[in-house]
């Protein structure tokens, strides 16, 4: 026998599961059955594709039995099984990146953590919620030897040689006080029906039934061993849509997603004709935790003629649809498709492209209900935007699906609705980008548009900075960032331009003072209440984009200087024309730049001098 220690992360996960998931402890059964089903899937596949496995008799099933007197529960499968190395590798460590990143993000707040864990397959370790000792007896298909793994979940586990008649895995739980109730026929039946009804293999419950024969004094107790099949054991997605109720769909979603919530909605397609395939996709209510990790867990399982092939292929749907959960089942693919073959396979490519089109058209249907669609956008809006630079084939559909905040509406708006509200002579769609919605709504850059009653989209998501320039146009409308210096030109009148000319003399002086800090100084009538603002040259990345690239460590080009725009109609600027005190002129000039940067959320580089200037100007103001 060898004793080993669990990985640190396993201990953390175990601690969390045991101490904070107690309200959902019944899910341990779902997890163990799901593992048994995975193991059966793996052996079924080998049986169909590999010669050396073809002769191994395969009787796929999951058996559950219990002993109420001794408080034990046993879950046994005839699947692939595990050898010693598998037990160490799969049970003692956390291999899945999603789960690992979850553990890394634990807050220590039990309530919050247990809410988050609901989104994950908590897996095998959930057994320790109901058991103070767990034994695994497993024999790998094709091997003679069996092994026993056992642990009380307290940091260590033992592995020793064991016996098992056939290949497969048996999990024996020694139930603790809280778990005792699961050594019960009705309890097991209820939980299995609730979570595992659509597992594709039969789940049998073994129990002892007591019957009575005869009457009164002659009454005899007869004990009988009974085996009940608990689940449907059919591929739900292959059943006819008209036979399926919302509950059936929701239940199945829970078995494949490990989500305890119902999905937002589902899309079920049964295609027949030139290509035969079935897809059942679900949109979760909440974005998966690992949505923004490069090593996210893909949510779609591939089956060929109901045989499970993979749940680990990120190419089944485009990356931007990685939040979709579900099943693709093809009748036309060969069973032994490798990942490489899949990527070049024409059938797969067609299924993928039709699936994307179908999903996008369902999203567009969902968008008809504004309130519901808002929830969708809150969770997945940024993914849809990613689609705009990943999926050119569906660009038009995607453009109709994206939503933004706006100066004109409380809810989100789409580009079509913006267009419908536009002024008659308006030729562009205007937008402002930045980090905080509240700050953006108060930005001096909006003043001119407010005065002219022109709608501006408020883009406060980081991804907007990348996506918007890549879109360029919506139908025949240019998309214009009002953070750029030329955005306001088409809206200025001759009078505005005359007004701007008046500031030429002070602008000359200001340029000299700020020559190292800015690319240019301009007068601009786009402002009304504020004395100044900063914008960037039409061809430069916006100020926020530069900050973002810096934060991502990608800022390796020369620093881009902003353009300072001053408001010729503002009192401060008007008075600057008459100032004789050069020192004061310089202080005010610098303050006009610094306040404009601050409003854009950019830090002032030389804070001590900024404060010094501010105080010197205040002092002078108080003297008068
Ligand atoms: P997951 O199922 O998400 O991979 P689990 O914690 O549930 O995570 O299981 C960890 C691993 O242990 C599985 O991936 C599998 O390799 C192995 N395993 C668990 N249960 C069984 C089983 N009944 N038969 C074979 N392998 C199993
Ligand atoms: Mg599992």
């Amino acid at each position: 026998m060898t004793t080993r220690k669990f990985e640190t992360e396993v201990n953390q996960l175990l601690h969390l599961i045991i101490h904070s998931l107690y309200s959902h402890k019944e899910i341990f059964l779902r997890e163990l059955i799901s593992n048994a089903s995975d193991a059966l899937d793996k052996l079924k596949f080998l049986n169909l594709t590999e010669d050396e496995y073809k002769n191994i008799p395969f009787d796929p099933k999951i058996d559950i039995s219990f002993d109420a007197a001794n408080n034990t529960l046993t879950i046994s499968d005839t699947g692939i099984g595990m050898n010693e190395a598998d037990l160490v590798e799969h049970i003692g460590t956390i291999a899945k990146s999603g789960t690992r990143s979850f553990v890394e993000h634990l807050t220590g707040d039990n309530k919050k953590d247990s809410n988050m864990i609901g989104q994950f397959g908590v897996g095998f370790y959930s057994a320790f919620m109901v058991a103070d000792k767990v034994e695994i007896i497993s024999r790998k298909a094709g091997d003679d030897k069996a092994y026993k793994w056992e642990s009380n979940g307290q940091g260590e586990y033992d592995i020793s040689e064991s016996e098992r008649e056939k290949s497969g895995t048996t999990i024996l739980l020694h139930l603790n006080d809280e778990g005792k109730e699961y050594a019960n026929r009705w309890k097991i039946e209820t939980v299995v029906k609730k979570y595992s009804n659509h597992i594709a293999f039969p789940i049998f419950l073994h129990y002892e039934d007591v019957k009575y024969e005869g009457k009164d004094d002659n009454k005899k107790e007869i004990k009988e061993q009974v085996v009940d099949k608990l689940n449907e054991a059919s591929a739900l997605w292959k059943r006819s849509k008209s036979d399926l109720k919302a509950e059936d769909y929701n239940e199945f979603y829970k078995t494949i997603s490990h989500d305890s919530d119902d999905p937002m909605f589902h899309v079920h397609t049964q295609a027949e004709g030139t290509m035969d395939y079935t897809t059942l996709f679900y949109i979760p209510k909440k974005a998966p935790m690992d949505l923004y990790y490069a090593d996210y867990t893909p949510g779609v399982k591939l089956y060929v003629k109901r045989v499970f092939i993979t749940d680990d292929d990120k190419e089944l749907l485009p990356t931007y649809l990685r939040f979709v959960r579900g099943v693709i089942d093809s009748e036309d693919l060969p069973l032994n498709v490798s990942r490489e073959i899949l990527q070049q396979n024409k059938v797969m490519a067609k299924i993928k492209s039709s699936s994307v089109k179908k999903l996008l058209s369902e999203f567009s249907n969902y968008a008809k209900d504004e309130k519901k669609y808002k929830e969708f956008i809150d969770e997945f809006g940024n993914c849809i935007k990613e689609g705009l630079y990943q999926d050119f084939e569906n660009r038009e559909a995607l453009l109709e699906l994206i939503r933004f905040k706006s100066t004109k509406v409380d809810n989100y708006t789409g580009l079509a609705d913006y267009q419908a509200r536009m002024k008659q002579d308006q030729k562009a769609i205007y937008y402002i980008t930045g980090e905080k919605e509240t700050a953006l709504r108060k930005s001096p850059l909006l003043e001119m548009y407010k005065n002219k009653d022109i709608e501006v989209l408020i883009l406060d998501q980081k991804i907007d900075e990348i996506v918007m320039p890549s879109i360029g146009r919506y139908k025949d409308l240019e998309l214009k960032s009002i953070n750029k210096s030329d955005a306001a030109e088409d809206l200025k009148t001759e009078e505005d331009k005359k007004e701007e000319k008046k500031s030429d003399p002070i602008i000359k002086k200001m340029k000299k003072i700020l020559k190292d800090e800015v690319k240019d100084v301009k007068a601009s009538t786009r402002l009304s209440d504020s004395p100044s603002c900063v914008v960037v040259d039409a061809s430069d990345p916006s100020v926020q984009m530069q900050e973002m690239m810096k934060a991502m460590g990608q800022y390796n080009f020369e620093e881009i200087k902003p353009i300072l725009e001053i408001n010729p109609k503002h009192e401060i600027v008007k008075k600057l024309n008459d100032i004789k005190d050069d020192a004061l002129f310089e202080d005010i000039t610098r303050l006009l730049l610094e306040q404009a940067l601050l409003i854009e959320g950019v830090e002032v580089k030389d804070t001590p001098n900024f404060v010094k200037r501010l105080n010197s100007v205040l002092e002078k103001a108080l003297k008068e």
Side-chain angles (χ1 to χ4, degrees):
M1 189 181 80
T2 45
T3 302
R4 290 171 219 253
K5 283 193 164 49
F6 285 124
E7 258 191 342
T8 326
E9 285 84 358
V10 173
N11 277 325
Q12 275 174 282
L13 188 64
L14 270 169
H15 181 88
L16 173 78
I17 290 172
I18 295 167
H19 290 95
S20 56
L21 264 183
Y22 40 80
S23 57
H24 301 295
K25 56 181 182 327
E26 65 186 22
I27 59 154
F28 80 93
L29 200 50
R30 171 190 83 186
E31 296 296 334
L32 297 180
I33 291 174
S34 138
N35 285 349
S37 163
D38 291 347
L40 288 163
D41 269 332
K42 283 178 197 157
L43 188 55
K44 181 175 175 186
F45 179 74
L46 292 175
N47 237 277
L48 289 165
T49 56
E50 304 286 323
D51 285 339
E52 38 182 324
Y53 287 90
K54 278 188 178 136
N55 299 325
I56 300 179
F58 182 45
D59 173 21
K61 62 190 175 93
I62 299 167
D63 291 294
I64 303 179
S65 58
F66 59 89
D67 178 343
N70 293 307
N71 291 326
T72 60
L73 177 63
T74 307
I75 295 114
S76 189
D77 65 65
T78 51
I80 185 82
M82 286 178 276
N83 59 25
E84 188 175 12
D86 292 338
L87 284 165
V88 173
E89 203 178 313
H90 301 318
I91 306 285
T93 56
I94 300 179
K96 261 223 248 138
S97 56
T99 312
R100 187 171 280 280
S101 69
F102 164 73
V103 175
E104 280 161 11
H105 285 81
L106 289 181
T107 62
D109 176 341
N110 278 352
K111 223 175 172 180
K112 269 194 205 147
D113 289 343
S114 65
N115 278 341
M116 283 206 298
I117 207 170
Q119 299 177 24
F120 277 91
V122 280
F124 168 76
Y125 305 110
S126 59
F128 287 100
M129 289 193 289
V130 293
D132 42 31
K133 184 174 159 197
V134 178
E135 293 174 44
I136 305 173
I137 297 111
S138 195
R139 180 171 151 193
K140 195 161 187 166
D143 284 3
D144 301 330
K145 274 188 183 167
Y147 292 90
K148 179 158 104 180
W149 177 104
E150 60 189 308
S151 173
N152 57 10
Q154 306 284 329
E156 290 178 347
Y157 60 90
D158 296 328
I159 296 182
S160 52
E161 283 194 23
S162 183
E163 299 282 323
R164 202 178 189 284
E165 206 188 320
K166 285 178 184 156
S167 65
T169 302
T170 302
I171 312 277
L172 172 60
L173 306 178
H174 297 270
L175 300 167
N176 58 23
D177 276 350
E178 298 193 341
K180 272 195 297 211
E181 57 174 320
Y182 294 96
N184 172 291
R185 178 186 163 194
W186 307 111
K187 190 77 192 173
I188 296 169
E189 253 190 67
T190 317
V191 179
V192 171
K193 284 219 156 67
K194 179 167 171 191
Y195 294 107
S196 312
N197 202 16
H198 297 288
I199 291 289
F201 303 100
I203 303 171
F204 296 108
L205 177 61
H206 302 247
Y207 60 92
E208 199 171 64
D209 207 10
V210 183
K211 277 186 185 156
Y212 297 94
E213 259 178 23
K215 269 185 183 166
D216 303 327
D217 285 354
N218 286 328
K219 202 163 133 181
K220 261 204 304 190
E221 195 185 83
I222 300 175
K223 286 187 179 166
E224 197 187 7
Q225 285 299 321
V226 186
V227 182
D228 257 3
K229 185 166 152 246
L230 299 184
N231 64 331
E232 301 255 355
S234 71
L236 172 121
W237 59 90
K238 283 288 186 187
R239 285 164 56 192
S240 141
K241 281 202 230 181
S242 55
D243 285 351
L244 292 165
K245 295 193 217 65
E247 281 153 47
D248 300 324
Y249 281 113
N250 291 353
E251 225 181 74
F252 180 63
Y253 167 72
K254 288 175 191 174
T255 63
I256 59 160
S257 68
H258 298 286
D259 193 346
S260 52
D261 227 346
D262 286 339
M264 202 181 277
F265 59 95
H266 70 261
V267 184
H268 192 182
T269 312
Q270 294 171 321
E272 276 171 35
T274 46
M275 273 203 319
D276 280 358
Y277 67 88
T278 303
T279 56
L280 174 52
F281 295 124
Y282 290 94
I283 311 305
K285 255 192 200 140
K286 291 267 167 254
M289 266 275 299
D290 59 357
L291 191 63
Y292 294 107
Y293 293 116
D295 57 355
Y296 66 91
T297 316
V300 175
K301 295 177 199 281
L302 176 69
Y303 286 77
V304 172
K305 301 183 191 82
R306 301 191 201 197
V307 177
F308 172 78
I309 305 293
T310 176
D311 59 1
D312 189 29
D313 192 323
K314 293 186 176 169
E315 308 280 328
L316 296 178
L317 285 180
T319 326
Y320 73 95
L321 293 176
R322 62 190 175 278
F323 56 89
V324 175
R325 303 289 178 248
V327 170
I328 297 177
D329 189 354
S330 161
E331 300 294 318
D332 307 314
L333 285 169
L335 272 176
N336 55 353
V337 278
S338 67
R339 195 178 291 256
E340 293 69 34
I341 290 176
L342 263 186
Q343 277 173 21
Q344 303 156 7
N345 185 283
K346 284 205 179 99
V347 175
M348 195 57 230
K350 272 191 196 154
I351 294 177
K352 182 172 170 178
S353 122
S354 322
S355 297
V356 173
K357 289 204 161 57
K358 177 74 188 167
L359 280 166
L360 297 185
S361 93
E362 287 299 319
F363 296 167
S364 142
N365 271 339
Y366 202 67
K368 285 175 189 153
D369 184 328
E370 217 177 85
K371 215 174 124 203
K372 279 189 180 168
Y373 196 57
K374 181 180 184 301
E375 282 162 21
F376 176 86
I377 287 293
D378 281 336
E379 297 300 320
F380 309 114
N382 286 344
C383 292
I384 301 295
K385 287 177 190 163
E386 279 177 37
L388 283 169
Y389 58 80
Q390 283 174 13
D391 185 354
F392 293 99
E393 200 187 320
N394 294 298
R395 201 182 168 83
E396 269 169 39
L398 287 161
L399 275 174
E400 298 303 335
L401 289 171
I402 51 173
R403 293 290 180 273
F404 301 103
K405 291 164 189 159
S406 143
T407 53
K408 281 277 172 80
V409 290
D410 291 334
N411 203 340
Y412 291 117
T413 185
L415 296 174
D417 287 337
Y418 179 107
Q419 187 179 26
R421 280 190 298 269
M422 269 176 24
K423 309 239 112 175
Q424 266 201 338
D425 51 350
Q426 194 179 327
K427 292 192 180 59
I429 292 178
Y430 297 96
Y431 65 90
I432 181 166
T433 58
E435 266 182 26
K436 277 208 194 92
E437 183 186 352
T438 44
L440 287 175
R441 289 196 184 274
K442 287 182 201 142
S443 168
L445 294 172
L446 286 177
E447 288 166 7
M448 174 186 213
Y449 302 87
K450 240 178 243 166
N451 290 340
K452 294 190 191 291
D453 194 32
I454 289 174
E455 177 169 2
V456 177
L457 299 174
I458 309 274
L459 275 48
D460 61 351
Q461 300 293 305
K462 287 209 159 90
I463 188 169
D464 295 331
E465 295 275 358
I466 302 162
V467 171
M468 289 313 265
S470 83
I471 302 175
R473 274 177 178 280
Y474 172 70
K475 297 185 179 157
D476 53 349
L477 295 167
E478 200 184 331
L479 294 171
K480 273 196 169 180
S481 161
I482 71 166
N483 309 64
K484 303 249 161 156
S485 69
D486 64 344
E489 287 315 306
D490 54 349
L491 296 172
K492 285 178 189 165
T493 61
E494 282 309 309
E495 221 162 288
D496 290 336
K497 286 180 185 159
K498 246 188 235 160
E499 188 77 40
E500 288 174 357
K501 271 255 171 275
K502 284 188 198 156
S503 303
D504 281 357
I506 57 166
I507 282 181
K508 218 171 149 193
K509 274 169 80 182
M510 291 173 110
K511 274 191 200 168
K512 242 186 221 152
I513 295 167
L514 297 175
K515 65 178 186 316
D516 294 332
E517 279 90 348
V518 302
K519 199 165 182 175
D520 203 357
V521 182
K522 288 179 180 168
S524 176
T525 44
R526 76 157 93 194
L527 297 164
S528 67
D529 304 332
S530 309
S532 62
C533 67
V534 283
V535 291
V536 291
D537 224 355
S539 56
D540 287 341
S542 72
V543 181
Q544 290 85 13
M545 179 74 158
Q546 295 171 41
E547 292 284 301
M548 192 169 116
M549 289 162 123
K550 261 188 227 163
M552 296 192 305
Q554 286 185 359
Y555 200 84
N556 43 21
F557 46 86
E558 222 177 294
E559 186 144 4
I560 292 155
K561 293 173 186 166
I563 294 172
L564 176 67
E565 289 192 359
I566 55 164
N567 177 1
K569 287 180 281 190
H570 196 280
E571 275 308 303
I572 297 179
V573 177
K574 278 195 205 156
K575 290 226 164 103
L576 270 179
N577 284 306
D578 314 321
I579 287 181
K580 300 282 174 308
D581 180 346
D582 280 347
L584 181 60
F585 187 93
E586 174 162 353
D587 281 346
I588 293 176
T589 299
R590 290 190 183 278
L591 284 171
L592 284 176
L593 172 64
E594 283 156 345
Q595 59 162 292
L597 286 170
L598 279 172
I599 281 197
E600 290 296 309
V602 182
E603 266 177 51
V604 168
K605 276 196 203 106
D606 186 356
T607 326
N609 269 321
F610 163 70
V611 174
K612 215 163 127 190
R613 276 193 278 282
L614 189 63
N615 286 332
S616 141
V617 172
L618 287 175
E619 229 174 80
K620 283 179 185 164
L622 290 170
K623 261 189 208 150
E624 280 168 18

